[in-house]
């Protein structure tokens, strides 16, 4: 009787979940809307000039012109052109190995394959139980420590895509402790984006935006450090509150890892985990001191998979064929996440791409948004800048890419409405960073959700209230910045 009563609500919840649109369906309709927009909004172009270091082409304010080209998207295009039904292929093959889409897709698949080998050895599970047995008294410090470390990672060196790999690492431990995939994303990816958005030194957002806005690099650090402390504290309190709820009512889909008696931590497990720890240290060293990014990190994890595979074969824990099968299985598990990354990139391609020198609908949207705020009071203009950057981030989730497109217009706009260019940079970094925790065009978010097996719609329903809270805090920060003449 008791089992029957418990199963009825679960069955209803399962039926409801099945009626919810899949992430691929949602994305398809977003692409459809983007295609229709190209028939209503004309493509525009700006003159461009090279940035100071010559690495980027920047828009020149006041040079917008309607392009004498038809950028409306046909249903199908041949000869390598862009049409509605071409968006999937074009999105999947777009970009370079340094970023979205193809670079992130390959990063997800290779990293998933490498961790598939590690998970197949059983060393992670055995290590988790050994850790729980010996360090259960320190469990209360586990989540706060992780959250702070990842927030610092986002603030100091722009950590983002790296969170995907850490989600793979931490998910088994989280489930063993009675938590779930959502909490795993909170303490990793969400923490990095809070740090990213409120950073005082992030080289991929603050430094680039300040350089374009022609304000001293890393200036205003004191204000931003205080902002980082406030936002990180709010994020940590939200995460701890959710963790308490999950521990009180454990998720029904948590992995049943068994009891400690079911597992034995052997010398082989220790060697595999030492290899794993050494690679993590190698990655952190490379990112912080050598500027390693997606290609290098993917290769580092692949190296880890190869070494662990050799250890597993020599110790007779796995055969060579089982190592190969584990790699394939790990990559296959993350294929949906990799596909969504590419399909989301197709939206930007339909709207003309993110190259400021090429005619695009995005250029037109950017021009009219900047023009609309030119006669508004300072406080309202500052809030508008924040909101515009937040919305524009849906199309250009890359921090450096968005800075190159928007800051050449936002900086002069700040002069016109009577706020400092530092405030314009602040609007950019908050708008660019915070909305990354919900937008389906963020390759990093979709990658993290994919590896922890949380549907984007489920995540959006969960995180939207927290995002509203963060945006309310951002409004307060913008008003305060204008009031003190930041």
């Amino acid at each position: 009787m008791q089992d029957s009563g418990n199963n009825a609500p679960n069955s209803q919840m399962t039926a409801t979940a099945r009626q919810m649109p899949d992430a691929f369906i949602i994305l398809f309709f977003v692409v459809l809307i983007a295609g229709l927009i190209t028939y209503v909004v004309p493509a525009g172009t700006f003159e461009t000039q090279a940035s100071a270091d010559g690495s980027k082409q920047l828009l020149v304010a006041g040079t917008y012109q309607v392009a004498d080209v038809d950028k409306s998207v046909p249903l199908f295009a041949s000869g390598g052109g862009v049409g509605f039904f071409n968006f999937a292929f074009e999105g999947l093959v777009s970009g370079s190995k340094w970023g979205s889409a193809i670079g992130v897709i390959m990063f997800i698949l290779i990293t998933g394959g490498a961790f598939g080998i590690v998970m197949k050895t059983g060393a992670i599970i055995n290590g988790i139980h050994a850790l729980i047995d010996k360090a259960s008294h320190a469990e209360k410090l586990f989540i706060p420590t992780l959250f702070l470390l990842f927030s610092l990672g986002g603030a100091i060196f722009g950590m983002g895509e790296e969170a995907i790999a850490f989600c793979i690492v931490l998910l088994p431990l989280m489930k063993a402790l009675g938590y779930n995939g959502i909490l795993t994303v909170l303490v990793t990816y969400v923490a990095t984006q809070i740090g990213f958005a409120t950073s005082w030194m992030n080289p991929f957002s603050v430094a680039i935006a300040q350089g374009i806005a022609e304000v001293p690099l890393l200036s205003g650090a004191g204000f931003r450090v205080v902002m980082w402390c406030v936002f990180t504290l709010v994020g940590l309190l939200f995460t701890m509150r959710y963790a308490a709820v999950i521990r009180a009512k454990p998720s029904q889909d948590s992995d049943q890892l068994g009891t400690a008696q079911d597992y034995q931590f052997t010398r082989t497990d220790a060697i595999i985990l030492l290899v794993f720890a050494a690679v993590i240290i190698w990655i952190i060293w490379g990112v912080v001191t050598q500027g390693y990014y997606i290609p290098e990190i993917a290769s580092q994890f692949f190296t880890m998979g190869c070494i662990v595979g050799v250890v597993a074969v020599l110790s007779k824990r796995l055969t060579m064929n089982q190592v190969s099968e584990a790699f394939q299985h790990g990559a296959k598990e993350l294929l949906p996440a990799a596909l969504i990354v590419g399909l989301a990139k197709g939206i930007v391609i339909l709207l003309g791409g993110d190259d400021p020198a090429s005619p695009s609908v995005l250029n037109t949207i950017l021009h009219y948004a900047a023009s609309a705020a030119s006669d508004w009071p300072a406080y309202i203009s500052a809030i508008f800048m924040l909101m515009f950057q937040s919305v524009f981030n849906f199309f250009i989730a890359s921090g450096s890419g968005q800075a190159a497109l928007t800051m050449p217009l936002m900086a002069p706009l700040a002069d016109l409405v009577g706020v400092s260019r530092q405030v314009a940079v602040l609007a950019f970094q908050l708008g660019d960073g915070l909305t990354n925790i919900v937008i389906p065009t963020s390759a990093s978010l979709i990658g993290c959700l994919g590896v922890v097996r949380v549907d984007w719609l489920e995540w959006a329903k969960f995180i939207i209230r927290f995002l509203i809270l963060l945006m309310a805090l951002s409004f307060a920060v913008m008003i305060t910045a204008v009031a003190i003449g930041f």
Side-chain angles (χ1 to χ4, degrees):
M1 292 292 293
Q2 185 176 0
D3 290 340
S4 175
N6 288 337
N7 288 335
N10 290 337
S11 300
Q12 293 175 359
M13 290 175 63
T14 301
T16 302
R18 288 174 181 169
Q19 295 174 358
M20 292 182 179
D22 185 79
F24 284 91
I25 301 300
I26 295 171
L27 198 58
F28 180 84
F29 281 103
V30 172
V31 172
L32 179 61
I33 293 171
L36 293 174
I37 287 175
T38 65
Y39 285 88
V40 179
V41 180
T45 184
F46 287 90
E47 293 181 11
T48 61
Q49 63 182 16
S51 59
D53 60 4
S55 62
K56 294 184 178 295
Q57 289 295 314
L58 308 179
L59 303 180
V60 178
T63 63
Y64 171 82
Q65 291 183 341
V66 176
D68 188 21
V69 294
D70 182 10
K71 282 289 185 178
S72 56
V73 176
L75 285 178
F76 179 82
S78 60
V82 177
F84 177 78
F85 288 108
N86 302 97
F87 88 92
F89 178 82
E90 295 295 333
L92 286 166
V93 301
S94 65
S96 70
K97 65 180 181 179
W98 300 103
S100 184
I102 190 66
V104 175
I105 291 171
M106 293 302 103
F107 174 83
I108 290 173
L109 294 179
I110 291 175
T111 303
F115 276 97
I117 297 173
V118 176
M119 294 302 296
K120 182 68 174 178
T121 66
I124 294 287
I125 303 300
N126 294 337
I128 286 172
H129 281 278
L131 179 65
I132 292 174
D133 291 340
K134 295 183 179 180
S136 58
H137 61 281
E139 184 180 320
K140 293 182 179 179
L141 297 177
F142 179 66
I143 291 177
T145 300
L146 281 179
F147 196 96
L148 289 173
L149 288 175
F150 279 102
S151 182
L152 280 172
I156 294 173
F157 55 88
M159 189 176 185
E161 288 85 354
E162 298 86 349
I164 299 173
F166 284 102
C167 282
I168 300 174
V169 175
L170 291 172
L171 181 62
L173 177 56
M174 287 292 186
K175 289 193 172 184
L177 294 174
Y179 301 123
N180 61 7
I182 287 180
L183 189 70
T184 306
V185 178
L186 281 175
V187 300
T188 54
Y189 180 71
V190 171
T192 67
Q193 295 313 292
I194 288 177
F196 188 95
T198 58
S199 172
W200 59 95
M201 60 176 293
N202 184 346
F204 302 110
S205 63
V206 175
I208 291 176
Q210 287 181 327
I212 295 172
E214 298 180 344
V215 298
L217 293 182
L218 307 185
S219 58
F223 183 89
R224 288 183 171 88
V225 167
V226 173
M227 180 174 66
W228 174 81
C229 291
V230 172
F231 276 76
T232 299
L233 178 61
V234 170
L236 177 56
L237 291 175
F238 175 83
T239 301
M240 293 298 293
R241 180 182 177 185
Y242 179 70
V245 171
I246 293 300
R247 285 298 299 271
K249 298 176 65 175
S251 174
Q252 295 296 319
D253 65 350
S254 295
D255 290 342
Q256 299 299 317
L257 298 178
T259 63
Q261 288 77 14
D262 298 328
Y263 300 88
Q264 292 183 346
F265 188 75
T266 66
R267 181 179 299 177
T268 298
D269 295 316
I271 294 173
I272 291 173
L273 293 181
L274 283 174
V275 170
F276 170 73
V279 171
I280 296 297
I281 294 171
W282 181 27
I283 289 173
I284 294 172
W285 171 83
V287 170
V288 174
T289 67
Q290 305 299 311
Y292 285 0
Y293 197 44
I294 291 174
E296 294 86 359
I297 298 172
S299 300
Q300 288 169 308
F301 278 121
F302 183 74
T303 303
M304 176 193 71
C306 292
I307 297 174
V308 169
V310 170
V311 172
V313 170
L314 293 178
S315 64
K316 301 186 185 303
R317 181 164 292 193
L318 298 175
T319 66
M320 286 189 287
N321 282 348
Q322 286 176 326
V323 171
S324 175
E325 291 168 1
F327 182 86
Q328 296 174 55
H329 179 75
K332 182 173 67 175
E333 287 286 303
L334 298 190
L335 182 60
L339 286 174
I340 288 181
V341 168
L343 298 183
K345 184 66 175 180
I347 298 172
V348 178
I349 294 174
L350 287 184
L351 294 175
D354 54 5
D355 181 3
S358 300
S360 70
V361 172
L362 288 179
N363 281 342
T364 300
I365 295 172
L366 181 59
H367 165 70
Y368 283 108
S371 300
S374 59
D375 296 324
W376 293 347
Y379 289 101
I380 297 178
S381 294
I383 295 297
F384 171 81
M385 288 179 183
L386 170 63
M387 294 302 297
F388 175 75
Q389 296 283 11
S390 300
V391 173
F392 201 78
N393 193 45
F394 179 90
F395 303 103
I396 309 294
S398 164
S400 57
Q402 186 176 342
L405 277 170
T406 62
M407 287 311 299
L409 290 183
M410 292 295 110
L413 177 62
D415 299 336
L416 290 176
V417 301
V419 301
S420 70
R421 293 191 171 196
Q422 197 74 265
V423 170
V425 174
L426 196 63
F428 157 73
Q429 65 179 112
L430 288 171
D432 169 53
L434 295 178
T435 49
N436 282 336
I437 69 175
V438 73
I439 57 173
T441 50
S442 169
S444 304
L445 172 63
I446 296 302
C448 288
L449 294 179
V451 301
V452 301
R453 298 177 180 82
V454 173
D455 183 74
W456 177 82
L457 187 61
E458 177 188 355
W459 170 259
K461 291 173 64 177
F462 165 78
I463 204 66
I464 191 66
R465 292 183 181 180
F466 180 56
L467 179 60
I468 292 173
L469 172 60
L470 293 180
M471 294 307 295
L473 282 175
S474 299
F475 288 171
V477 167
M478 295 302 295
I479 292 172
T480 301
V482 173
I484 67 175
F486 177 63

